[in-house]
Amino acid sequence: MQSCEIAIVGSGFAGSLLARVLSILGYHVVLLERGAHPRFAIGESSTPLANLSLERLARRYGLADCWHLAAHGRWLSHHPDVRRGLKRGFTFYRHHPNEPFGNRGYDSERLLVAASPNDAIADTHWLRADVDHHFVREAVAAGVDYREQVELTHAVLAGESIMLAGRHQGAVLPLRARFVIDASGPAGFLARQLAIPSALDRTHTRSGLVFSHFEGARLFRDVVPGLPEGPYPDDWAAVHHLIDEGWMYSLRFDDGVTSAGFLLTPRGAQAMGSPDVEHAAELWTALLRKYPTIASAFGDATPIMPIAYRPEIQHRLARSVGERWALMPHAFAFVDPLFSTGIAWSLRAVERLALAFEATRHGSRLPDARTLARYDAKLREEADQIDAVVAGAYEAMAHFELFAAHAMLYFASVSFAEVSQRLLSRDDAAWSGFLGVGDRLLAPLPQLSLRRLRAITQSRGETGTAEERRAFASWIARAIGPRNVAGLANPARHNLYPVDLDGLIQRHALLGMSREALVDALPALRGMAKEPSFAPRSAANPATSPAAPPSPAPGMPAPH
Ligand SMILES: Cc1cc2nc3c(=O)[nH]c(=O)nc-3n(C[C@H](O)[C@H](O)[C@H](O)COP(=O)(O)OP(=O)(O)OC[C@H]3O[C@@H](n4cnc5c(N)ncnc54)[C@H](O)[C@@H]3O)c2cc1C
């Protein structure tokens, strides 16, 4: 019988990165993967909060590659072979059936929110086949016992351990682990094995997805020329096309491949004839036919893998920990790709679990019940919060004014989190709540917004009166006011939000900082801080204590 201290099921970036950190901390870790790398994975658009987590992990555990992968410029210099796309912000357009997108200058139904002031320190879209392969190779280099093409069939709690059983390359695999971490994503390995109940009824959001990767998609700015200049080139972003049936994402990689997919609400899917998985390509074509400007961008694009359809992508479990196990966020819950929350949330959980094991590695070597309960409570609240923000956004899609106003909630909470984490770097940043969880002012807003929106839309997609929409936008502006470090919800911006450092200085009091202290911190915020030196770390020296806790990291304050 083989045994290990920690078995991690699933080698997406979250499983591999956690396995690697735990190995560096001196744990004997086995990482089990059903497939084989490189392999396709969805979930590609990263964000500043994800990069902050990568930088903290880099500093704490000496992971130079994580530091380099946390900004587009550093990534290009150090890992040009790992494919990625430049992401300068979040772009939104509203389309109407059978009408070309209306270029009405500054009155266009268009929202751009910059996440970075320049390409060098910009975010990225991750070509997951390459990124996940990179992280699994690094895990192996750090001493992780990695096995792929493993078919696990059982997980049974047995006293002081969990017994895993299955097959590995044709041979029977029995493995005894003291602790199991489920990083298998929606496949939900432990959910099935331990019969963890579903809590999907807590989740408001429901959507289906039709998607692929494409070659030859045209830039939106070429399809709709003459739009007013925005804070960054529109297409180098997570591009969102809002439609009556839901929305579409379009993520461009630097090599020209575009990841694209339509998310359909239940009502939207019904309007498209309640499609089935066998007719994904037809569904794709029918959606393009209905939206002529999207068709101009994608009509001649070629899918480089079959277009696929998943009728419902949400899942949610009742809990994320047990005495000898824990779930990574993507195994615990998934809401929707709107606002790209998954990578940042997963990396935050990598940090939290790493800290939990780090704290006990010289003692019991396993996190205690209190720490696990803390992890569970955070994940539950955060899953609810992501859902409320996203459900509100779906409700708000009834009218672009409502959507642009509600989106400010998301951008206010992530920009406040980013700026405060960068400027007021605290040891417990990894445990701070995601999307305003734990913040007495921000935490209740998504639910309140959802309620107000439903009162306007009647949950039937009604657009409300101009007065109701104005009142909603004013409420949002007032509600985010005490946390609005990025100058959001400002009609003078015409929905085009750059990174505004001068505005940030003016708003220093919102961060509890003096003007002078904020000005002093600006070089670091502009990404001008020196790269830390990374002590080499490997399984050969696992007992060395982790690097010093993070000090203020370079980067920039940004609306997101
Ligand atoms: C449609 C969609 C779009 C998304 N877009 C974004 C986005 O733009 N930005 C963002 O931040 N997030 C996005 N997400 C979320 C993102 O995909 C997840 O946050 C991310 O993939 C989590 O990574 P992970 O490593 O935890 O799990 P995964 O990426 O799901 O990896 C799970 C791994 O486990 C393996 N596995 C599964 N079952 C078993 C088993 N029984 N035994 C062994 N191995 C197993 C799988 O083969 C896989 O390698 C999106 C999600 C979806 C569904």
Side-chain angles (χ1 to χ4, degrees):
M1 165 79 63
Q2 301 172 53
S3 62
C4 65
E5 286 186 286
I6 305 163
I8 299 187
V9 180
S11 67
F13 69 87
S16 297
L17 201 43
L18 182 58
R20 175 181 172 194
V21 170
L22 294 178
S23 182
I24 286 167
L25 289 171
Y27 286 90
H28 176 203
V29 186
V30 175
L31 177 61
L32 302 161
E33 168 60 44
R34 181 174 65 179
H37 288 280
R39 54 95 181 92
F40 173 83
I42 206 154
E44 297 149 324
S45 190
S46 184
T47 57
L49 289 177
N51 289 331
L52 261 166
S53 283
L54 279 180
E55 289 178 0
R56 282 194 295 260
L57 287 164
R59 283 175 182 272
R60 190 164 193 95
Y61 303 107
L63 313 179
D65 61 315
C66 288
W67 180 265
H68 296 140
L69 294 173
H72 187 262
R74 302 202 293 258
W75 185 320
L76 272 186
S77 304
H78 293 271
H79 298 282
D81 50 319
V82 180
R83 286 170 292 173
R84 83 322 320 160
L86 172 65
K87 177 181 176 186
R88 288 290 309 279
F90 284 72
T91 297
F92 301 86
Y93 308 106
R94 179 61 157 105
H95 300 258
H96 299 279
N98 309 312
E99 286 176 27
F101 177 79
N103 180 355
R104 298 198 292 275
Y106 285 116
D107 293 329
S108 302
E109 292 177 293
R110 171 178 178 241
L111 166 66
L112 268 65
V113 185
S116 49
N118 60 50
D119 293 359
I121 55 172
D123 303 323
T124 44
H125 306 308
W126 296 7
L127 198 294
R128 290 285 304 276
D130 286 13
V131 175
D132 289 11
H133 197 191
H134 166 84
F135 280 126
V136 87
R137 279 193 302 242
E138 291 293 330
V140 171
V144 171
D145 178 353
Y146 171 63
R147 308 183 197 179
E148 58 185 26
Q149 294 181 319
V150 172
E151 204 50 60
L152 289 175
T153 51
H154 292 87
V156 181
L157 289 161
E160 298 287 284
S161 50
I162 292 196
M163 304 293 301
L164 297 176
R167 300 189 75 78
H168 178 219
Q169 295 174 346
V172 174
L173 174 89
L175 180 67
R176 183 200 302 272
R178 291 191 65 210
F179 199 92
V180 173
I181 293 166
D182 185 355
S184 69
F189 172 68
L190 278 187
R192 280 181 286 110
Q193 294 301 324
L194 303 181
I196 305 168
S198 168
L200 189 57
D201 57 356
R202 287 190 68 82
T203 304
H204 300 287
T205 310
R206 290 290 180 280
S207 54
L209 170 69
V210 54
F211 69 102
S212 189
H213 276 189
F214 297 85
E215 264 169 357
R218 296 176 63 197
L219 295 175
F220 194 77
R221 288 301 298 253
D222 292 343
V223 173
V224 185
L227 285 166
E229 209 50 33
Y232 56 83
D234 290 38
D235 290 272
W236 300 112
V239 179
H240 305 68
H241 299 283
L242 311 184
I243 60 174
D244 281 6
E245 295 78 10
W247 65 282
M248 177 200 196
Y249 65 83
S250 172
L251 313 174
R252 205 172 181 90
F253 295 101
D254 293 347
D255 65 2
V257 167
T258 300
S259 171
F262 286 96
L263 281 298
L264 301 180
T265 61
R267 221 179 15 233
Q270 208 178 9
M272 296 307 294
S274 303
D276 59 54
V277 292
E278 305 296 327
H279 295 93
E282 289 90 328
L283 173 59
W284 180 268
T285 309
L287 285 159
L288 291 190
R289 212 178 297 129
K290 201 161 174 184
Y291 293 96
T293 307
I294 302 178
S296 300
F298 280 88
D300 294 330
T302 316
I304 57 176
M305 50 182 232
I307 293 172
Y309 177 55
R310 296 183 196 160
E312 187 174 295
I313 57 170
Q314 288 69 33
H315 66 274
R316 169 75 190 258
L317 298 176
R319 59 202 173 106
S320 65
V321 299
E323 199 187 334
R324 300 206 159 261
W325 55 269
L327 309 178
M328 296 308 290
H330 202 213
F332 170 62
F334 181 70
V335 176
D336 191 272
L338 194 58
F339 300 125
S340 308
T341 49
I343 296 177
W345 197 32
S346 299
L347 289 174
R348 193 76 68 89
V350 169
E351 288 186 85
R352 290 170 184 169
L353 287 175
L355 289 171
F357 278 93
E358 187 185 318
T360 56
R361 75 193 195 284
H362 298 308
S364 69
R365 294 183 67 77
L366 296 183
D368 57 27
R370 211 164 133 244
T371 307
L372 289 175
R374 183 185 189 196
Y375 176 83
D376 183 51
K378 276 275 185 281
L379 248 52
R380 289 188 208 208
E381 278 184 90
E382 291 168 343
D384 287 347
Q385 189 79 333
I386 293 169
D387 177 50
V389 172
V390 170
Y394 270 102
E395 212 58 59
M397 284 178 200
H399 195 288
F400 194 69
E401 273 174 47
L402 293 175
F403 182 86
H406 174 81
M408 295 299 115
L409 272 190
Y410 167 78
F411 291 113
S413 72
V414 292
S415 56
F416 184 76
E418 188 199 355
V419 171
S420 33
Q421 284 180 32
R422 285 199 186 280
L423 291 180
L424 314 166
S425 176
R426 295 191 333 241
D427 279 0
D428 63 350
W431 284 103
S432 66
F434 194 58
L435 292 193
V437 163
D439 178 321
R440 81 189 158 75
L441 286 168
L442 289 174
L445 296 185
Q447 280 293 349
L448 293 174
S449 184
L450 178 60
R451 223 173 293 152
R452 282 175 183 257
L453 284 163
R454 284 181 171 163
I456 296 171
T457 65
Q458 303 295 311
S459 302
R460 285 195 302 264
E462 291 181 17
T463 55
T465 63
E467 185 45 43
E468 284 173 318
R469 294 194 295 271
R470 257 197 307 275
F472 177 74
S474 304
W475 173 74
I476 289 276
R478 281 196 310 278
I480 64 171
R483 300 286 184 263
N484 188 3
V485 290
L488 299 160
N490 176 2
R493 287 281 188 207
H494 304 291
N495 284 335
L496 303 174
Y497 293 96
V499 170
D500 177 10
L501 293 177
D502 292 337
L504 178 69
I505 294 170
Q506 281 166 24
R507 289 181 278 276
H508 62 90
L510 298 185
L511 292 155
M513 293 176 81
S514 69
R515 190 175 195 284
E516 294 68 35
L518 190 47
V519 170
D520 285 350
L522 276 187
L525 287 169
R526 288 199 183 101
M528 288 159 65
K530 246 181 73 202
E531 176 170 331
S533 66
F534 292 103
R537 232 159 239 293
S538 71
N541 63 349
T544 47
S545 53
S551 55
M556 72 304 147
H560 172 67

